[in-house]
């Protein structure tokens, strides 16, 4: 059957805030592709039904999946890419003749955004703050990009331990937990680091409520690159803190959002969109909001 319009969507709940339709519209225009990409709010326990409705349409080529459905999508697809398997979550579904493939473009998006900002990943010592889905999704691509070591710091110690164990099963990289023992010693252990971190990534949702992780200022001093996965219309408190402590590069997650979308687009169409202008456009509209 000849397809006149490719159809895709992003599933989430809530989803009203999503910028994905704007991003994919701009990507599709670059290649003159007839793509209709919309937001679909699935009921909290209704991901499978919503996916079946979408894919009953033969023009539907794929979907993005955001919170809280990344695990539902992981369970629903017929097969998984290596990124998705190692991330334990699916944010991109690709329809093929042989069924639905689940992939994960979050980590590739983060890596590409770090590289766009000239941050050296290979050989870097990374502190990842947070052990939720975003941290887990990012780790496989960071490890593939030859990061030399990863330290995970998280409010709930057991979740950090679980993430380290899961990641170790899927890679050979050096990865460990902060705090090693209990939450009481965490700040102390970090303050005792003799070699500074090359990259610090905030993968918690704390910036959304203007809160900072409980970390000593010393970890920021001399750190060349600080990243907050959250993006707002102005600097997050985390980035303000890093800048006040003279971190050279402090960036939010808007570029990660654009780059993960670009990788999803590539997975559907085999074409790599130009991301610079899309990023600049989104930054401009968010600053004028
Ligand atoms: P999860 O709910 O899976 O994890 C939340 C993380 O934040 C956990 O590590 C949690 O710690 C921590 N956290 C939450 N509240 C507190 C608190 N009060 N004190 C200390 N730690 C806290 O969310 P995700 O991992 O999926 O997402 C995290 C953030 O990343 C979101 O805000 C999201 O917007 C952003 N994100 C950005 C993307 C982008 O493209 N830029 C892509 C994906 C995510 P604990 O384990 O102790 O609960």
């Amino acid at each position: 059957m000849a397809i006149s319009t490719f159809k895709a969507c992003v599933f989430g709940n809530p989803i009203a805030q999503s910028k994905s339709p704007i991003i994919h519209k701009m990507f599709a225009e670059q290649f003159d592709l007839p793509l209709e990409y919309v937001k679909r709010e699935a009921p909290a326990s209704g991901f499978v039904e919503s996916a079946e409705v979408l894919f009953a349409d033969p023009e539907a080529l794929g979907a993005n999946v955001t919170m809280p459905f990344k695990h539902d999508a992981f369970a629903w697809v017929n097969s998984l890419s290596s990124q998705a398997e190692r991330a334990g979550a699916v944010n991109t579904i690709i329809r093929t003749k042989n069924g639905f493939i689940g992939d994960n473009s979050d980590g590739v998006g983060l890596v590409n955004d770090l590289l766009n900002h000239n941050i050296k990943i290979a050989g870097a010592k990374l502190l990842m703050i947070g052990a939720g889905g975003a941290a887990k999704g990012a780790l496989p691509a960071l490890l593939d990009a030859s990061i030399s070591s990863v330290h995970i710091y998280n409010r709930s110690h057991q979740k950090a331990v679980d993430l380290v164990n899961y990641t170790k099963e899927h890679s050979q990289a050096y990865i460990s937990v902060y705090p090693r023992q209990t939450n009481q010693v965490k700040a102390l252990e970090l303050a005792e680091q003799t070699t500074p971190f090359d990259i610090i990534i905030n993968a918690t949702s704390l910036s959304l409520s203007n809160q900072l992780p409980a970390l000593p200022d010393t970890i920021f001093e001399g750190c060349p690159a600080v990243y907050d996965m959250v993006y707002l219309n102005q600097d997050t408190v985390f980035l303000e803190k890093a800048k006040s402590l003279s971190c050279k590069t402090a960036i939010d997650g808007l570029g990660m959002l654009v780059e993960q979308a670009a990788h999803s687009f590539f997975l559907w169409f085999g074409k790599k969109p130009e991301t610079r202008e899309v990023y600049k456009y989104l930054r401009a509209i968010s600053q004028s909001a």
Side-chain angles (χ1 to χ4, degrees):
M1 193 195 90
I3 290 185
S4 59
T5 307
F6 294 106
K7 293 187 184 148
C9 75
V10 53
F11 288 114
N13 188 339
I15 198 62
Q17 78 296 345
S18 174
K19 298 183 193 318
S20 294
I22 307 176
I23 299 173
H24 283 286
K25 182 172 181 286
M26 292 179 80
F27 289 163
E29 282 167 1
Q30 293 176 23
F31 301 99
D32 251 340
L33 279 171
L35 174 64
E36 188 183 296
Y37 184 109
V38 297
K39 303 171 199 179
R40 285 192 182 216
E41 183 167 297
S45 55
F47 171 76
V48 170
E49 292 76 9
S50 300
E52 283 170 0
V53 168
L54 172 75
F55 290 111
D57 183 340
E59 293 190 327
L61 86 154
N64 283 129
V65 183
T66 187
M67 279 175 49
F69 300 122
K70 292 182 183 182
H71 293 110
D72 294 320
F74 184 88
W76 181 75
V77 293
N78 303 110
S79 60
L80 293 165
S81 71
S82 157
Q83 287 290 336
E85 193 171 359
R86 290 182 292 155
V90 161
N91 84 333
T92 307
I93 297 172
I94 307 132
R95 171 183 234 151
T96 72
K97 273 183 263 168
N98 303 318
F100 296 103
I101 300 174
D103 209 318
N104 193 312
S105 63
D106 282 337
V108 174
L110 172 64
V111 164
N112 286 343
D113 192 41
L114 292 170
L115 295 175
N116 288 346
H117 286 90
N118 298 317
I119 295 168
K120 191 168 170 279
I121 303 175
K125 177 176 170 178
L126 168 73
L127 173 63
M128 176 75 81
I129 307 166
K136 195 171 177 182
L139 280 175
L142 287 163
L143 295 169
D144 289 350
S146 303
I147 210 124
S148 86
S149 69
V150 182
H151 293 77
I152 309 277
Y153 170 96
N154 193 49
R155 172 181 60 177
S156 317
H157 183 254
Q158 190 54 46
K159 264 178 79 177
V161 172
D162 292 346
L163 176 57
V164 165
N165 289 339
Y166 184 88
T167 305
K168 275 183 173 162
E169 274 172 36
H170 295 81
S171 82
Q172 301 298 315
Y174 175 77
I175 177 161
S176 74
V177 183
Y178 267 98
R180 270 177 237 133
Q181 302 297 330
T182 67
N183 274 341
Q184 283 70 37
V185 294
K186 62 191 171 193
L188 192 61
E189 279 193 18
L190 282 168
E192 281 169 355
Q193 281 287 307
T194 47
T195 327
F197 293 104
D198 300 306
I199 307 175
I200 299 175
I201 297 178
N202 183 7
T204 73
S205 48
L206 277 167
S207 292
L208 291 175
S209 51
N210 284 327
Q211 294 181 75
L212 288 165
L215 289 168
D217 286 358
T218 46
I219 63 146
F220 291 104
E221 287 163 6
C223 178
V226 171
Y227 197 98
D228 195 342
M229 286 197 191
V230 167
Y231 49 88
L232 301 172
N233 294 343
Q234 69 286 331
D235 270 350
T236 66
V237 283
F238 187 76
L239 297 182
E240 277 175 358
K241 170 71 127 183
K243 285 180 182 175
S244 75
L245 295 166
S246 306
C247 294
K248 272 194 257 157
T249 306
I251 331 158
D252 70 13
L254 185 67
M256 174 179 175
L257 174 78
V258 175
E259 291 296 338
Q260 63 77 27
H263 190 58
S264 294
F265 189 91
F266 174 75
L267 293 168
W268 295 325
F269 294 109
K271 295 175 193 297
K272 283 193 175 165
E274 163 62 42
T275 52
R276 206 178 174 37
E277 291 305 315
V278 178
Y279 174 77
K280 275 165 63 180
Y281 174 73
L282 289 179
R283 180 67 73 200
I285 57 169
S286 83
Q287 280 171 347
S288 64

